[in-house]
Amino acid sequence: EVQLVESGGGLVEPGRSLRLSCTTSGFTLGDYAMSWFRQAPGKGLEWVGFIRSKTSGGTTEYAASVKGRFSISRDDSKSIAYLQMNNLKTEDTAVYYCTRHNSGWYGDYWGQGTLVTVSS
Amino acid sequence: DIQMTQSPSTLSASVGDRVTITCRASQSITSWLAWYQQKPGKAPKLLIYKASTLESGVPSRFSGSGSGTEFSLTISSLQPDDFATYYCQQYNSYWTFGQGTKVEIK
C-alpha cells in the first residue's frame, strides 16, 4: 500500500526555519517525482515546489511565493523527501502536503498533511 | 501562469441529484486536467485525470469531460458521501488549482 506521511510541522516565529519530512512506503521513492502543496486555513490549494527523480536529474522548481526561501531535497535510500523552509512569514501558515507524481504529472497519492503555523 | 476558474463556488443539492461543476483555464491545457475531492481535515483525493479518465476505485457516477480551456465534472446521482469540496487542477504547466466548489446538502 502506498503511503506518504508528513511530519515536522508546528508553531514557529516569523523569520525562523523549519524542515518538513515526507516519509514514503509502498513504492520506490527513487522512481518518482514529488511535490509539496499547501493550504492556508479555510483557503484553496497552492503548489509550493517540485523535485524530479534522480534519473531525471533530481532538479527542483518552486512557486514564486517561496522561491529563494524554500528548498526541496530527497534521500531515496531512506524513502524521505524534505521541504526546508527558511525565513518563514506569517503568510506561510498552512497545512503542507507532499504528493507523488506518476508519469502523467498529476498527484496520484497525497499525505495527510502537517500544519505549519508562523506566528509571534 | 495559468489561472483556473471554477463555478459555482457553492452548490446546494439533494441526494440523487445530477450535479455539474465547471472549470475554465486561462489558456489551453489540452487535456492535462485533474479533479480532486476534499473533505474537511483530509487530504485531496484524486478522482479524474487527463480530463476524463477515472482513477481506479472511484465510483462510476463521477465523470469528467472537456479539452482546451473548458472542462466539467459531473456526478450523475449524488450520494451522501459526495458532499465535499471539489477542485480542478491543471498540470500542463506546473500546477494550479481552481478555487474550489463546495457541494452542500440542500
Side-chain angles (χ1 to χ4, degrees):
Chain A
E1 180 190 8
V2 171
Q3 287 193 319
L4 295 83
V5 179
E6 301 92 340
S7 60
L11 175 63
V12 61
E13 294 178 338
R16 303 298 290 263
S17 299
L18 204 61
R19 188 178 80 162
L20 306 183
S21 299
C22 173
T23 302
T24 70
S25 59
F27 66 102
T28 302
L29 178 62
D31 292 340
Y32 292 87
M34 301 290 289
S35 267
W36 287 89
F37 291 86
R38 67 184 180 182
Q39 187 170 37
K43 302 297 185 181
L45 293 155
E46 178 189 19
W47 170 67
V48 171
F50 161 80
I51 185 166
R52 294 176 178 83
S53 66
K54 286 283 174 59
T55 55
S56 295
T59 52
T60 53
E61 308 281 351
Y62 299 98
S65 57
V66 305
K67 198 169 187 178
R69 299 189 298 123
F70 289 14
S71 64
I72 297 173
S73 60
R74 59 193 301 152
D75 186 336
D76 294 338
S77 67
K78 295 182 178 178
S79 299
I80 301 176
Y82 299 100
L83 176 64
Q84 177 68 42
M85 305 184 293
N86 298 329
N87 188 23
L88 282 159
K89 304 177 181 182
T90 56
E91 54 264 39
D92 296 319
T93 294
V95 174
Y96 285 74
Y97 297 99
C98 62
T99 68
R100 185 185 85 163
H101 289 290
N102 65 13
S103 58
W105 294 107
Y106 53 89
D108 59 354
Y109 286 92
W110 294 57
Q112 86 289 349
T114 188
L115 176 63
V116 173
T117 303
V118 185
S119 174
S120 54
Chain B
D1 291 6
I2 299 176
Q3 309 302 317
M4 306 300 292
T5 304
Q6 267 181 255
S7 61
S9 298
T10 306
L11 191 161
S12 297
S14 302
V15 173
D17 284 354
R18 179 183 180 90
V19 301
T20 297
I21 300 167
T22 62
C23 182
R24 175 176 293 172
S26 60
Q27 64 188 73
S28 177
I29 57 171
T30 59
S31 295
W32 305 125
L33 184 103
W35 289 96
Y36 293 90
Q37 177 194 67
Q38 188 179 35
K39 296 182 178 179
K42 300 294 187 181
K45 174 188 172 184
L46 177 67
L47 299 175
I48 286 168
Y49 59 93
K50 207 174 179 185
S52 61
T53 304
L54 200 65
E55 172 71 345
S56 177
V58 174
S60 58
R61 63 181 179 273
F62 291 92
S63 63
S65 65
S67 66
T69 62
E70 301 282 338
F71 302 88
S72 64
L73 171 71
T74 298
I75 309 172
S76 60
S77 177
L78 200 63
Q79 298 302 301
D81 191 48
D82 301 337
F83 292 98
T85 299
Y86 294 84
Y87 293 93
C88 62
Q89 179 208 51
Q90 68 82 20
Y91 52 99
N92 179 76
S93 175
Y94 300 110
W95 297 269
T96 49
F97 294 85
Q99 78 277 20
T101 295
K102 183 177 182 181
V103 177
E104 60 181 26
I105 299 173
K106 190 172 184 179

